[in-house]
Amino acid sequence: MANLETAWHEAEERLEGSLPASKKQWFDRISYKGIEDGMIVLSLSSDFFKDNAEKSCGDEIRNTIEAIAGEKIGVRFIVDSDSKPSVRKKAPARTQKAQEAVPASRNTTLNKAYSFDNFIAGDNSIFAFNAAKVIAQNPGLSYNPCLIYGGVGLGKTHLLQSIGNYIDEHNPKMKIIYVTAESFTNEFISSLSANQTSSFKSKYRNVDVLLIDDIHFLQKKDQTQEELFHTFNELYDNHKQIVLTCDRPITELTDITDRLKTRFRKGLTVDLQPPAYETRVAIAMQKCREKDYQIDSKVLEYICQNIDTNIRDLEGALTTLSSFASLVGKPITIEIAKEQLKNFIVAPAIRNNDITIDMIIRKTADYFNVTDYDIKGKSRNKNIILARHISIFLSSKLTSYSLSEIGKAMNGKDHTTIMHSVDRIKSLLETDESVKTAVSAIEDELTGF
Ligand code: ADP
Ligand code: MG
């Protein structure tokens, strides 16, 4: 029988260089454990990683080992919380170094940091991702125009830039312009005031690929829309590729002429949805690898469970934690993550509007050892006044009730009284440790954090 350990290391090396990013992120978590009963045993630090690694690259691993060993070899995946995959990874900052080595693009409007390779496609984005790739491989010949729409931070710019970078690499002769609708507008305005509209027109009408980001910005910009309409027609008639992004479906755009909307919708429209939990974890891991952040998998899972709005927030959270870790020189625990990410993480109880004003009054009363009636009443006792201010502050922070509605729930106080309480606690939070402790203890009780 072949030397199984050698076979594994050779397979590891081959797969290292050939697996796509979407699989490699799981592959990179695998450690070699040893040989047991003639099987290669590979370990991962949690069930989550084991399931994903096995599902995404188990077949490749088995096939590669079979090709190397010349016979079928069993491979078993196990969970071992001591598993340390980072030891296996060779050059941690490889992506970054590779990027530094890439010569500057001839198309200076493109940002080389965005590519299909570092885009993680999940169920939420696979359609848009595949369409973008087809377009990049056949510019002007497949879907034209293509419109990618989706909320903030979901990867529109990333995909648009990836199309440009791919074409730039594979069709070096093609002229590509990436521009935001805002820059397009500003440039057009400058050309008008400098009497140079003809050079503006010729710049944009002589490209092979025009990538315009965030076209919702064109709302109410009538003259720019007019200009874009003619640019669009010229490019379209000459089979030049146009790709646009927008933060909402075209039908929901207002103050954009119908004829331009019709043009935008002429080809393929694809959308980007918020990613599911597993995709968020995959993306977070990819970002940590790219930026060489050392964040424990349990903390990553915590972040991804709690930040489900968009990838930009997810990245912001990772950057915050990693900067904090390097400043204080200690690893990030879940407790530290909770504390540091207060601005990013909205407790599910708040998001779901589960917290009521009565619940807030109840918990605050308990904390201060007073009654609900005291809080809603008129007593001028110092302790009760503070409890009252805090209930009001938390009601405005943790519920979606308006100031007047909070006032009504507080036995008919008017909204200026409510505003005064909120301001009072805001300023005490800056200066008074005991108020800070009280607010955060009551808040934690209510949100379950
Ligand atoms: P948008 O243009 O939709 O507001 P961006 O393309 O700027 O969003 O994405 C925000 C950040 O999230 C970028 O750093 C981008 O690289 C990253 N990002 C978004 N989606 C993905 C994804 N599927 N895979 C990897 N990174 C992503
Ligand atoms: Mg964008």
Side-chain angles (χ1 to χ4, degrees):
M1 181 179 280
N3 180 331
L4 295 188
E5 182 165 354
T6 317
W8 158 249
H9 288 304
E10 182 160 353
E12 188 182 21
E13 212 159 280
R14 285 192 199 174
L15 291 166
E16 195 55 66
S18 64
L19 284 176
S22 55
K23 292 181 183 247
K24 202 161 166 301
Q25 69 210 322
W26 306 116
F27 181 75
D28 280 345
R29 318 288 313 186
I30 298 174
S31 327
Y32 172 73
K33 199 70 188 154
I35 306 297
E36 228 175 67
D37 303 330
M39 288 180 99
I40 296 176
V41 183
L42 304 174
S43 71
L44 288 115
S45 61
S46 69
D47 277 328
F48 176 78
F49 288 129
K50 173 182 163 279
D51 291 349
N52 280 292
E54 188 161 15
K55 215 164 31 183
S56 69
C57 36
D59 285 349
E60 272 97 340
I61 291 175
R62 291 190 175 93
N63 295 341
T64 310
I65 292 174
E66 185 181 346
I68 292 165
E71 60 184 311
K72 254 197 175 13
I73 309 285
V75 176
R76 199 163 79 229
F77 292 81
I78 62 163
V79 175
D80 174 2
S81 51
D82 290 335
S83 192
K84 292 230 169 33
S86 51
V87 177
R88 192 177 68 74
K89 282 205 292 175
K90 284 168 212 138
R94 206 160 56 98
T95 327
Q96 208 172 339
K97 291 223 183 73
Q99 270 165 21
E100 280 161 17
V102 174
S105 162
R106 294 162 303 103
N107 290 292
T108 51
T109 53
L110 293 171
N111 179 345
K112 285 270 160 194
Y114 296 114
S115 71
F116 290 128
D117 287 342
N118 64 9
F119 188 91
I120 308 288
D123 288 349
N124 62 309
S125 59
I126 189 74
F127 185 36
F129 177 76
N130 285 339
K133 267 186 129 171
V134 170
I135 288 166
Q137 285 156 357
N138 313 282
L141 302 173
S142 52
Y143 308 118
N144 201 23
C146 174
L147 174 90
I148 303 170
Y149 77 86
V152 170
L154 292 181
K156 300 184 294 294
T157 299
H158 191 134
L159 275 186
L160 195 62
Q161 288 270 3
S162 301
I163 295 174
N165 281 319
Y166 187 97
I167 301 175
D168 190 39
E169 194 180 325
H170 293 82
N171 292 296
K173 292 215 172 93
M174 283 197 161
K175 267 196 255 165
I176 306 164
I177 290 186
Y178 163 89
V179 67
T180 61
E182 183 173 6
S183 301
F184 184 85
T185 306
N186 293 339
E187 217 181 298
F188 179 59
I189 294 170
S190 313
S191 82
L192 278 177
S193 58
N195 257 336
Q196 284 173 347
T197 45
S198 59
S199 69
F200 178 89
K201 285 183 207 300
S202 95
K203 173 177 169 185
Y204 284 99
R205 293 182 195 185
N206 283 301
V207 293
D208 298 295
V209 181
L210 180 59
L211 309 168
I212 307 188
D213 211 353
D214 295 330
I215 52 160
H216 45 271
F217 183 86
L218 295 173
Q219 291 174 117
K220 292 202 165 79
K221 315 282 184 318
D222 298 348
Q223 222 177 332
T224 312
Q225 286 180 33
E226 170 83 19
E227 178 56 30
L228 180 58
F229 176 75
H230 296 296
T231 306
F232 187 105
N233 290 342
E234 178 97 14
L235 292 177
Y236 183 82
D237 291 345
N238 289 301
H239 306 287
K240 305 297 185 187
Q241 182 69 49
I242 303 160
V243 189
L244 312 154
T245 74
C246 188
D247 70 355
R248 67 204 79 168
I250 291 298
T251 45
E252 288 175 23
L253 284 176
T254 51
D255 299 303
I256 290 216
T257 57
D258 284 342
R259 59 179 194 167
L260 199 49
K261 282 197 203 173
T262 312
R263 293 296 181 288
F264 290 161
R265 279 209 308 249
K266 230 177 161 147
L268 178 73
T269 297
V270 291
D271 70 332
L272 285 168
Q273 292 293 326
Y277 170 69
E278 291 76 2
T279 310
R280 295 199 294 279
V281 174
I283 295 172
M285 283 164 53
Q286 157 86 2
K287 296 293 169 191
C288 288
R289 227 182 356 253
E290 262 176 33
K291 298 183 177 168
D292 204 19
Y293 293 161
Q294 306 293 332
I295 299 179
D296 180 76
S297 59
K298 287 270 166 295
V299 175
L300 270 194
E301 287 170 26
Y302 167 79
I303 300 173
C304 295
Q305 272 154 10
N306 287 286
I307 301 183
D308 58 3
T309 39
N310 68 63
I311 308 304
R312 192 168 299 147
D313 287 353
L314 199 59
E315 273 193 295
L318 296 175
T319 310
T320 303
L321 283 188
S322 160
S323 325
F324 182 82
S326 61
L327 282 177
V328 300
K330 55 180 180 187
I332 298 290
T333 58
I334 294 203
E335 278 59 43
I336 295 180
K338 273 186 191 171
E339 184 55 36
Q340 291 301 312
L341 298 181
K342 280 205 162 137
N343 293 337
F344 289 98
I345 294 180
V346 179
I350 304 177
R351 237 178 323 176
N352 302 336
N353 280 331
D354 286 346
I355 301 174
T356 64
I357 297 176
D358 279 345
M359 282 161 70
I360 294 172
I361 293 175
R362 184 86 289 280
K363 293 280 180 212
T364 314
D366 279 352
Y367 186 92
F368 284 93
N369 223 349
V370 300
T371 64
D372 298 18
Y373 180 79
D374 290 333
I375 290 189
K376 290 188 183 180
K378 294 202 159 94
S379 164
R380 303 307 300 162
N381 171 296
K382 247 175 123 182
N383 194 42
I384 295 176
I385 293 181
L386 181 61
R388 190 177 298 139
H389 284 328
I390 289 181
S391 308
I392 291 174
F393 169 80
L394 286 175
S395 300
S396 92
K397 181 173 176 192
L398 306 178
T399 73
S400 44
Y401 291 109
S402 69
L403 295 180
S404 327
E405 284 167 328
I406 296 171
K408 225 182 261 168
M410 288 280 170
N411 266 0
K413 295 185 173 46
D414 69 19
H415 88 279
T416 47
T417 312
I418 300 299
M419 205 148 64
H420 165 73
S421 295
V422 173
D423 290 344
R424 179 82 192 119
I425 296 300
K426 270 189 190 158
S427 84
L428 284 175
L429 282 174
E430 310 260 308
T431 54
D432 189 327
E433 275 306 312
S434 68
V435 170
K436 222 164 141 178
T437 311
V439 169
S440 105
I442 301 166
E443 189 172 339
D444 287 354
E445 279 255 324
L446 287 159
T447 56
F449 258 38

